[in-house]
Amino acid sequence: MDWLQIVLRIVHIFSAVLWAGGAALFFFYIEPTMNKLGPDAEKFVDEVINKRKAPVYFMTVATLTVLGGVLLYWHDTGLNLDTMGQPKYLALGLGGVCAIIAWLAGGTI
């Protein structure tokens, strides 16, 4: 295993954990708290979204996850159709497509 692959795996895995963990924290704790606060949530939302830059955090870790994954896939398969047709790489490709869709949706919504 070469150094590029090791670095890409570390970036991909670490940023994916931060992306998924941040999303879980947001949807299981922060969003219900905002709903419970009602109109008083406006100050909290302003702090989290505008001042603490939560969207910048999510876009950064999502981009690192997707970029690391795409580069790993490219490195492992060489974009060779015979290699990409193997079950392992079909599964990785499907996961990659789902991640890219989530990344695009997060960036546009």
Side-chain angles (χ1 to χ4, degrees):
M1 188 178 302
D2 62 0
W3 284 104
L4 175 63
Q5 191 171 20
I6 293 170
V7 170
L8 287 175
R9 283 179 193 255
I10 290 170
V11 167
H12 179 67
I13 293 169
F14 186 69
S15 59
V17 167
L18 292 175
W19 187 14
L25 176 72
F26 195 85
F27 289 112
F28 291 127
Y29 294 101
I30 295 175
E31 185 178 11
T33 301
M34 291 184 324
N35 291 336
K36 192 95 168 174
L37 289 173
D40 293 332
E42 186 175 331
K43 293 178 188 176
F44 178 71
V45 170
D46 183 55
E47 179 69 25
V48 170
I49 302 298
N50 296 328
K51 293 186 177 125
R52 299 282 177 172
K53 307 289 187 203
V56 173
Y57 164 81
F58 280 108
M59 206 58 211
T60 302
V61 294
T63 301
L64 286 173
T65 302
V66 170
L67 186 60
V70 167
L71 292 174
L72 275 171
Y73 192 78
W74 184 8
H75 182 270
D76 288 350
T77 65
L79 299 182
N80 180 341
L81 292 179
D82 291 333
T83 306
M84 290 167 53
Q86 296 174 5
K88 172 185 175 180
Y89 293 111
L90 285 174
L92 291 174
L94 179 61
V97 167
C98 291
I100 291 170
I101 291 170
W103 177 69
L104 289 172
T108 57
I109 294 177

